[in-house]
Amino acid sequence: MSAARRVTILGATGSVGLSTAAVVEEALARGEPIEVEALAAGRDVDKLVALAKRLRPRFAAIHDETQGPALREALAGVGCAVGAGPEAVVEAAERPADWVMAAIVGAAGLAPTLAATNRGATVALANKESLVCAGDLLTRAALKAGATLLPVDSEHSAIFQVWEGPEWVEKVTLTASGGPFRKASLAEMARVTPAQAVAHPTWPMGAKISVDCATMMNKGLELIEAMHLFSIEADRLDVLIHPQSIIHSLVHYVDGSVLAQLGVPDMRTPIAYALAWPDRMAVSTPRLDLAKLQTLSFEAPDEDRFPNLRLAWQAAKAGGGHTAILNAANEVAVAAFLRGETGFLEIGEINARVMDAAEGPSLAAIAKSPSSLDELRAIDETVRHFTRDVLARIR
Ligand code: MG
């Protein structure tokens, strides 16, 4: 990289945020001209303070207002401004960084991601909900502000790295590890506990996304993300199970060529690609040794055991607010599962019931595409309420 880059990390203490910090620290240690503008976190003051002391941002924000005093006290004398509450996180996004990592999990990431986009920044998107719930809104905002949206998810980074389309692209295949229950029977899946569901075989991640991997909703959300990022129709996207997570996705071209990106599963690779784009930068991840690995295997996904995949396709094809409806239903269902209030298989069942309702009178009014963040919030709230009712009836 030639010119100095100012970077901001939103969701700095989560799994992607910490990997981003590691990539930045490695670049700083090599003497690369990077400055950290802002760091924002949800509620983990200790981790945020440790990061701020190492990365020396101009501004540190914590979403949880009650943690403000603790953050202020811990960073006194460090020479970094401090803010607390949701507005402080938006302020972090609005500050003049060239490059913003949007890695806040869930709907809370939407407003700051949009704020960074609206001021024309290069936004590295790790917050799935932004595109899943507000894909049209976000891509329109990026176009208007001249912002660049870059993928961070390993699959979308892989597609982006081999992208020559869209005119020559026949099909895009997203690979999936299949999660911890790839081989489990329905009877076994019915007994799955939260602890079992959050133990992912190849990628260490947060609880919500780990459950989404176990139910394959994560792949469903990624399908919707890919549709927006690459302007490709849902029926030209498919999913392939690849348990070793070495091939991160494939693009099929009209001449029969299939291009793929490979690498040891480590988030620092797609993060470094997004940070250095359109160049590349060094990062000390473990290197791929195919001779040692010997076997890469593949299988078709089973939509009977993983109905969330089918639901995501349905939502992607229906477009409009359907993808936001599916996302909100899933967030409520997963949270209930993690609290032990519902079973593992019920997550898909709850999602299916809510998606059915989106076709009927109860939710039809909100199934159109949201044109503002307020409209999206209204959809989100209505669906969460509706899903809690479904949950109460299912128990
Ligand atoms: Mg992924």
Side-chain angles (χ1 to χ4, degrees):
M1 274 179 291
S2 45
R5 298 196 84 183
R6 248 196 247 189
V7 310
T8 283
I9 308 173
L10 307 173
T13 57
S15 152
V16 172
L18 290 172
S19 293
T20 308
V23 171
V24 168
E25 273 191 280
E26 212 184 313
L28 287 172
R30 279 195 305 266
E32 287 195 28
I34 294 180
E35 288 167 17
V36 179
E37 178 64 33
L39 297 175
R43 65 190 73 85
D44 195 333
V45 174
D46 294 345
K47 271 192 196 152
L48 180 59
V49 167
L51 277 180
K53 286 184 174 168
R54 295 206 307 272
L55 295 175
R56 298 290 170 148
R58 293 188 177 86
F59 182 63
I62 191 113
H63 183 272
D64 180 352
E65 206 135 25
T66 65
Q67 306 275 13
L71 182 64
R72 206 159 275 126
E73 192 185 331
L75 288 180
V78 174
C80 126
V82 171
E87 323 74 45
V89 176
V90 171
E91 189 192 332
E94 282 171 342
R95 291 174 72 105
D98 308 301
W99 187 91
V100 177
M101 167 54 77
I104 296 172
V105 178
L110 264 168
T113 303
L114 203 58
T117 305
N118 281 336
R119 63 171 183 80
T122 295
V123 180
L125 276 176
N127 167 267
K128 286 196 167 68
E129 290 76 8
S130 303
L131 280 171
V132 170
C133 300
D136 296 336
L137 198 66
L138 194 67
T139 47
R140 266 202 311 273
L143 206 62
K144 194 174 160 206
T148 305
L149 304 177
L150 296 177
V152 172
D153 227 340
S154 61
E155 295 78 3
H156 305 86
S157 176
I159 296 165
F160 186 49
Q161 291 187 46
V162 299
W163 189 247
E164 295 178 16
E167 59 271 49
W168 305 299
V169 171
E170 216 162 59
K171 192 176 83 168
V172 172
T173 300
L174 289 133
T175 50
S177 72
F181 312 124
R182 180 169 60 91
K183 289 179 179 301
S185 68
L186 277 170
E188 286 163 338
M189 287 164 86
R191 294 190 298 269
V192 163
T193 64
Q196 290 168 325
V198 298
H200 191 272
T202 46
W203 296 95
M205 294 174 301
K208 156 70 166 62
I209 189 171
S210 295
V211 175
D212 283 345
C213 284
T215 66
M216 291 202 74
M217 177 54 96
N218 182 57
K219 208 50 54 179
L221 298 177
E222 288 178 357
L223 203 114
I224 297 165
E225 252 189 299
M227 180 178 80
H228 286 292
L229 276 170
F230 301 101
S231 301
I232 186 166
E233 308 83 51
D235 43 21
R236 285 205 286 160
L237 290 163
D238 70 1
V239 170
L240 179 68
I241 306 280
H242 167 43
Q244 297 84 8
S245 303
I246 296 296
I247 297 179
H248 299 302
S249 276
L250 311 103
V251 180
H252 308 248
Y253 288 94
V254 289
D255 58 4
S257 286
V258 182
L259 300 190
Q261 184 260 351
L262 288 73
V264 170
D266 189 312
M267 280 310 291
R268 287 175 294 170
T269 296
I271 291 165
Y273 187 75
L275 181 56
W277 181 86
D279 300 330
R280 284 186 186 264
M281 65 191 283
V283 65
S284 60
T285 55
R287 293 327 199 215
L288 182 59
D289 183 345
L290 286 171
K292 200 170 155 193
L293 203 68
Q294 292 194 342
T295 313
L296 298 181
S297 60
F298 308 93
E299 56 197 71
D302 177 358
E303 287 181 25
D304 291 331
R305 286 184 304 131
F306 299 99
N308 281 331
L309 266 185
R310 182 170 27 83
L311 295 173
W313 251 302
Q314 263 172 34
K317 282 183 191 161
H322 286 85
T323 55
I325 292 173
L326 178 60
N327 180 68
N330 184 60
E331 282 193 19
V332 172
V334 170
F337 167 70
L338 285 172
R339 287 194 305 265
E341 291 171 13
T342 194
F344 182 75
L345 286 176
E346 277 69 37
I347 297 171
E349 190 177 335
I350 290 163
N351 290 340
R353 289 199 192 188
V354 177
M355 288 304 285
D356 278 348
E359 305 305 319
S362 40
L363 290 179
I366 57 163
K368 69 176 174 55
S369 192
S371 61
S372 69
L373 216 48
D374 286 340
E375 265 183 52
L376 186 64
R377 282 198 190 99
I379 293 179
D380 193 69
E381 232 164 81
T382 308
V383 177
R384 279 169 199 270
H385 195 80
F386 186 87
T387 310
R388 282 186 202 107
D389 285 348
V390 171
L391 191 68
R393 282 200 301 275
I394 225 168
R395 264 187 283 177

